[in-house]
Amino acid sequence: MPSITEYNNSEDPLPDQSHATAKQQPELALPHHPPISLASAPFSTPPRPYTTFTTLQRRLITLILILTMLASPLTATIYLPLLPLLASHFHVSHQAINLTITLYVVFQATSPLLFATASDAFGRRPVYLVTFTVYALASLGLALNRASYAGLLVLRALQSLGASAVLAIAYGVVADLCVPAERGAMQGPALGAANLAVCVGPVIGGWVALGSGSFGWVFWCLVIYGVLVLFVVGMGLPETARSVVGNGEREPGWWGKTWWHLAVMWWRIRRGTHRDEELGADREEKLERDDQNPPRVKDKFKVPDLFAAVRIVFRKDAALMLWMAGSPYAIWYCVQTSIPPIFKDIYGFNDLQIGLSFLTGGFGVVLGSYANGKLMDWNYKMTAQQIGHTVDKVSGDDLTHFPIERARARGSWHILAVYICALAGYGWAVKFHVHESLALILQFVLAVLCTAFQQTFSILLVDVFPESPSTAAASGNITRCTLSAVAVAMLQPLVDVIGRGWVFSLLSILSGGGGLVANWLINNRGMAWRHQRLGIHGGG
């Protein structure tokens, strides 16, 4: 029997009776309608959200991130007051003990190459669990080690290996959960709170060492911290990597579920509370979610590309962003390194006063992180308004043709001008022995500005490498550590030759002047170079 569709599309006359009737009546011109298909009928569907994690879940994840991000700065700074005790206990020179710091910095640069890249491929949660297991065991070894200097070196390196990748992984978590327009709101407070460790680390280390008279209790404190974080991550941090769970709707494997979730599932199965129909409904719902979020095809287990972060360093657009994030970080390292000799030799501070003088910069780092997070989101909103773009806070903006470089770098000219003046002014203030309050105020200003640059352009790096955010953040870690090592190594020899005033003026020209050039190129050429890297023609 002919179908309705065949009659609609056929040019043959209708059957005889209809044809005869048509001869007696005027012929009507009926409009031609295409075949009706229910599958093609238009239905309005809501936009697919960027993430299914609720606001409460994201706040909980932010708190867990803050706890994890304490690892690197706390472990680095709590160790500094122990140097004389360690040299005396292991009967080695201060230069030999300083080698443990050098080794820590080396692994601080290399750890993200392994773990941050792995987190992009296999998920954030299992990598966090591995790194904090390594960290806790290394801290335990340091607490128990009483005789071996070689053991101190190896265990300190392992401790750095476990602690130093967490920041790069955290940048990946922020990119997993937040649309580009709102990333500053999550990353700013998290980074600001984590930077409190820079302030309190030396105080805790000195207080514990002074109270106990031994370095062992400091390492026991780090053991407690490591085990606590491992427990909190295991119990409460869900898998967020978009390569594993998509926007949160795709079901992860057992390794991506929290221990609490696994325990509840085990308890229900043991008590028989999972009825067959409930299991069937859950299975159908899971299959439907997985159809909407197909996993990436993996033929076999692949070792993470350890050089992916290194290759990012040599991209034209990325290199400029890395300079803008890395050079102020190196400058702030130089400022911190200069504090003990300046305030002891010039202003006559005692050891306690020198320790307290670090607090002004520490508070500047915390304030800069929080305030700049708000500023980044405001700059994004203003840039969108200028180009007539409506910000999508549900599904997230497609940044392919959005000038994200201009949005993040907005207002950097004014900040760079203040940065150059404050850095050069700091050198000349201590050169001419101006009152110590001015030096402390300039430290605070530099801390705010250096943190703002590092935070802004690190997020921009994540924005332009959305498929591998933690790997991109790892490239920033490489750059920061390399620039800091070079700058600190050259600082004192240059001070001995040309004095502090000219040294910090030279640093302001290199970092600030180079920043002006990099900022201009990012604003004017960054988007075009990004399109060129992605193979997009006719854009930017």
Side-chain angles (χ1 to χ4, degrees), residues 483-527:
L483 291 176
S484 298
V486 173
V488 170
M490 295 176 60
L491 180 63
Q492 192 56 47
L494 286 174
V495 168
D496 295 338
V497 175
I498 61 177
R500 291 188 176 91
W502 287 113
V503 165
F504 283 99
S505 296
L506 177 62
L507 291 176
S508 71
I509 293 172
L510 292 175
S511 180
L516 291 172
V517 175
N519 189 60
W520 186 90
L521 289 172
I522 288 172
N523 275 280
N524 293 276
R525 298 294 300 161
M527 186 173 178

Side-chain angles (χ1 to χ4, degrees), residues 248-533:
E249 294 178 340
R250 190 189 307 155
E251 191 78 12
W254 63 267
W255 63 88
K257 295 182 172 65
T258 63
W259 295 342
W260 174 259
H261 188 185
L262 293 174
V264 170
M265 289 177 59
W266 175 82
W267 177 256
R268 287 179 176 176
I269 292 173
R270 183 177 180 182
R271 294 294 299 269
T273 56
H274 271 70
R275 296 190 301 272
D276 291 341
E277 57 270 21
E278 291 177 343
L279 290 174
D282 292 343
R283 190 179 299 112
E284 289 180 3
E285 183 180 354
K286 176 182 180 298
L287 290 174
E288 182 179 353
R289 289 197 308 263
D290 289 348
D291 287 340
Q292 297 175 355
N293 298 273
R296 296 186 309 173
V297 177
K298 292 185 179 180
D299 297 330
K300 59 182 181 179
F301 179 84
K302 295 182 179 180
V303 177
D305 186 356
L306 302 184
F307 296 99
V310 178
R311 287 196 296 271
I312 290 177
V313 176
F314 296 97
R315 303 289 190 180
K316 287 185 290 187
D317 56 334
L320 298 172
M321 301 167 196
L322 290 168
W323 174 261
M324 291 297 295
S327 66
Y329 180 89
I331 294 300
W332 179 239
Y333 227 89
C334 289
V335 172
Q336 287 187 302
T337 303
S338 70
I339 288 175
I342 286 176
F343 284 90
K344 182 177 182 179
D345 299 339
I346 296 178
Y347 298 111
F349 280 23
N350 58 34
D351 291 339
L352 176 60
Q353 291 172 322
I354 290 175
L356 293 175
S357 66
F358 281 90
L359 294 179
T360 56
F363 289 134
V365 169
V366 174
L367 178 62
S369 299
Y370 181 81
N372 190 67
K374 300 292 185 181
L375 180 62
M376 280 196 299
D377 290 348
W378 187 79
N379 284 337
Y380 188 102
K381 178 181 177 181
M382 292 297 102
T383 303
Q385 289 182 359
Q386 289 174 357
I387 65 174
H389 174 79
T390 301
V391 176
D392 186 354
K393 294 187 177 181
V394 177
S395 300
D397 295 320
D398 181 2
L399 299 182
T400 304
H401 298 287
F402 183 83
I404 187 63
E405 293 85 358
R406 184 150 53 92
R408 297 301 188 205
R410 189 174 184 271
S412 294
W413 300 110
H414 308 92
I415 301 176
L416 279 167
V418 178
Y419 171 71
I420 293 172
C421 295
L423 185 55
Y426 177 75
W428 292 110
V430 298
K431 168 69 175 178
F432 291 110
H433 299 193
V434 180
H435 194 270
E436 59 266 23
S437 60
L438 179 59
L440 293 172
I441 291 172
L442 290 174
Q443 276 185 39
F444 176 83
V445 172
L446 287 170
V448 172
L449 300 182
C450 290
T451 302
F453 283 125
Q454 178 199 344
Q455 182 180 1
T456 298
F457 289 94
S458 294
I459 282 290
L460 176 56
L461 198 66
V462 170
D463 290 331
V464 299
F465 289 92
E467 297 300 324
S468 53
S470 288
T471 302
S475 68
N477 196 83
I478 298 170
T479 307
R480 291 195 306 269
C481 291
T482 302
L483 291 176
S484 298
V486 173
V488 170
M490 295 176 60
L491 180 63
Q492 192 56 47
L494 286 174
V495 168
D496 295 338
V497 175
I498 61 177
R500 291 188 176 91
W502 287 113
V503 165
F504 283 99
S505 296
L506 177 62
L507 291 176
S508 71
I509 293 172
L510 292 175
S511 180
L516 291 172
V517 175
N519 189 60
W520 186 90
L521 289 172
I522 288 172
N523 275 280
N524 293 276
R525 298 294 300 161
M527 186 173 178
W529 285 339
R530 169 162 57 96
H531 285 174
Q532 181 182 1
R533 170 169 55 81

Side-chain angles (χ1 to χ4, degrees), residues 112-310:
L113 291 178
L114 174 63
F115 292 118
T117 304
S119 77
D120 282 332
F122 307 119
R124 320 291 180 204
R125 178 179 167 80
V127 175
Y128 266 132
L129 293 175
V130 169
T131 55
F132 274 99
T133 299
V134 172
Y135 176 84
L137 292 176
S139 299
L140 178 62
L142 287 166
L144 297 175
N145 179 37
R146 295 291 177 177
S148 174
Y149 169 72
L152 177 67
L153 287 172
V154 173
L155 291 169
R156 185 64 176 165
L158 289 175
Q159 194 180 43
S160 178
L161 186 70
S164 300
V166 294
L167 181 60
I169 301 173
Y171 274 105
V173 175
V174 172
D176 295 335
L177 300 180
C178 298
V179 297
E182 298 181 336
R183 285 174 182 170
M186 181 177 183
Q187 191 251 12
L191 187 59
N195 278 325
L196 282 173
V198 178
C199 305
V200 303
V203 177
I204 295 175
W207 177 68
V208 173
L210 181 64
S212 64
S214 170
F215 64 85
W217 280 107
V218 173
F219 292 130
W220 279 114
C221 288
L222 295 181
V223 172
I224 296 171
Y225 163 75
V227 172
L228 174 64
V229 174
L230 185 63
F231 176 78
V232 171
V233 169
M235 292 295 293
L237 183 66
E239 182 55 67
T240 65
R242 302 182 75 83
S243 61
V244 178
V245 297
N247 67 347
E249 294 178 340
R250 190 189 307 155
E251 191 78 12
W254 63 267
W255 63 88
K257 295 182 172 65
T258 63
W259 295 342
W260 174 259
H261 188 185
L262 293 174
V264 170
M265 289 177 59
W266 175 82
W267 177 256
R268 287 179 176 176
I269 292 173
R270 183 177 180 182
R271 294 294 299 269
T273 56
H274 271 70
R275 296 190 301 272
D276 291 341
E277 57 270 21
E278 291 177 343
L279 290 174
D282 292 343
R283 190 179 299 112
E284 289 180 3
E285 183 180 354
K286 176 182 180 298
L287 290 174
E288 182 179 353
R289 289 197 308 263
D290 289 348
D291 287 340
Q292 297 175 355
N293 298 273
R296 296 186 309 173
V297 177
K298 292 185 179 180
D299 297 330
K300 59 182 181 179
F301 179 84
K302 295 182 179 180
V303 177
D305 186 356
L306 302 184
F307 296 99
V310 178

